[in-house]
Amino acid sequence: MLWIHGGGWFDGESHDYDASKLAEGGPSGPTVVVTINYRLGLLGFLAHPALEAEGHPFADYGLMDQQAALRWVKQNIAAFGGDPDNVTIGGQSAGAVFTAANVASPTAAGLFHRAIMESGPSIAFASLDLAETRGAGFAAAAGCGTDNSTAAAACLRGLKVEDILALQGPYLTGLTLDGTVLPTAADEAWTTGQFNRVPIINGTVEDEGSFAATLNEYLSGQPMTAAGYTGLGIYTGNTNIFNGPGGIAGVPPNYPAGTAAKVLVQYPLAAYAGPSLAETAVLTDTESCRARHLNHLLSQWVPLYAYEFRDRNAPWYFPPLSFPHGAAHTIDLQFFFPLWHGGPPGTPYPLTIQERKLSDELVAAWTSFMHSGDPNFVGNHPWPRYEADSPAYLSESVPNLSTLSETDFSSTHQCAFWDGILVY
């Protein structure tokens, strides 16, 4: 397995992930796990007319780094006991978006055979026009040219890393339709089958938006207020927070006029115990319904296994909050990577006995999927394949794994409402 870390295109690193439990594997036997680094921020994702004029792949440098790692695996992994003809790529949050991007990328064809996407399926890539506009804006701020001259390209390459990091904030874009590495819009790829067709696991956690609500409280030092909830601007078309934790960095969703009023009616503050829980619900349901939409598309072409992680009492590595964190974005990582805690600021906590059992079950399912393309060992149980005539999810929680119908999933996350609003 090649694991692609998350971190919103600008954060994270390979050694945050202890892959020893995945390497030990389950009933299917041990696995070889490779964790990688790749270029982040504008070092990894920068489009500019001067770079395009050079006539080589550009813009998606971080994605190209991942594909270079996959080529290394193909050429070298046998020396480590791995099988170059049985490679799974996987990632969580931005890492899941990158996994989906590799599934969509023709330059990754033949480099992997399965894919696992946790909490961050990719539905859209930035247009080249948007990416180059932001790249030119960055170049101007950095004192470089905005044209397609060799001088502008040389100026960009001469910038110091610390200067790039200091300036990059407003200009981040993420994955871009560059024409080569990503030549096809994601929704077109999933709809028409123009992607690397491999078995896929795709899923979310029950309270995706709690991570963003946690960060809002943690970084501001105070709980969300009622005025903050109604005035956040999270319902307007000029912000990307609607994309949720796994969204496309810097790509405005451009929701229809009137979205704000509709959302506040659908998610009235009075229906929740506090503003942070209302915020969590909105951000969770957008992410969950996007994942459901992607499941509909992918299942037409490949074996697909969908899930929702639902252990709302799993350890949370942030300081105590004013609201219950629930099954928040990233909280399932510790079930695959022991004591994962979000990096240096987080505090790791051990799993309970029941949660260690759940961890064993999930690792067994993942490693079975890596081995055969099926997370089950016998038949279609306990994890049913997601198919058009019987769409079902594995419910991952304690004390036992169970199944969740698409009807229940859609009702819980109000997908009938979001299907008329979300920009898929």
Side-chain angles (χ1 to χ4, degrees), residues 89-314:
I89 58 171
Q92 188 270 346
S93 193
V97 178
F98 287 128
T99 298
N102 280 295
V103 170
S105 173
T107 54
L111 297 178
F112 59 92
H113 311 90
R114 334 236 184 261
I116 297 174
M117 301 185 293
E118 281 191 278
S119 295
S122 180
I123 304 298
F125 306 135
S127 70
L128 184 57
D129 285 346
L130 172 64
E132 289 197 334
T133 296
R134 291 191 177 169
F138 165 75
C144 296
T146 61
D147 57 19
N148 64 355
S149 66
T150 56
C155 180
L156 288 169
R157 290 196 173 95
L159 295 173
K160 295 180 179 179
V161 170
E162 54 266 31
D163 293 337
I164 295 172
L165 298 181
L167 289 171
Q168 70 179 1
Y171 307 106
L172 292 173
T173 302
L175 291 162
T176 299
L177 280 168
D178 67 300
T180 302
V181 181
L182 291 175
T184 305
D187 55 347
E188 180 183 348
W190 314 139
T191 301
T192 63
Q194 296 179 65
F195 61 89
N196 301 309
R197 298 189 198 174
V198 298
I200 292 174
I201 288 176
N202 181 46
T204 54
V205 298
E206 190 172 11
D207 304 291
E208 288 283 356
S210 182
F211 181 82
T214 294
L215 286 180
N216 286 342
E217 180 170 317
Y218 178 61
L219 296 176
S220 69
Q222 59 187 9
M224 173 70 69
T225 63
Y229 173 68
T230 57
L232 261 180
I234 62 174
Y235 315 119
T236 63
N238 60 1
T239 175
N240 73 338
I241 195 169
F242 245 139
N243 279 322
I248 306 302
V251 181
N254 298 320
Y255 290 99
T259 297
K262 290 180 181 178
V263 172
L264 288 174
V265 169
Q266 190 73 17
Y267 294 83
L269 187 55
Y272 300 91
S276 292
L277 292 177
E279 177 191 15
T280 292
V282 173
L283 298 178
T284 293
D285 292 353
T286 56
E287 188 78 356
S288 299
C289 297
R290 280 194 178 92
R292 166 182 165 270
H293 176 73
L294 182 59
N295 290 337
H296 290 172
L297 298 179
L298 292 176
S299 62
Q300 301 176 77
W301 306 103
V302 298
L304 177 71
Y305 296 89
Y307 72 86
E308 183 172 71
F309 181 88
R310 311 184 88 199
D311 180 5
R312 285 179 152 166
N313 295 311

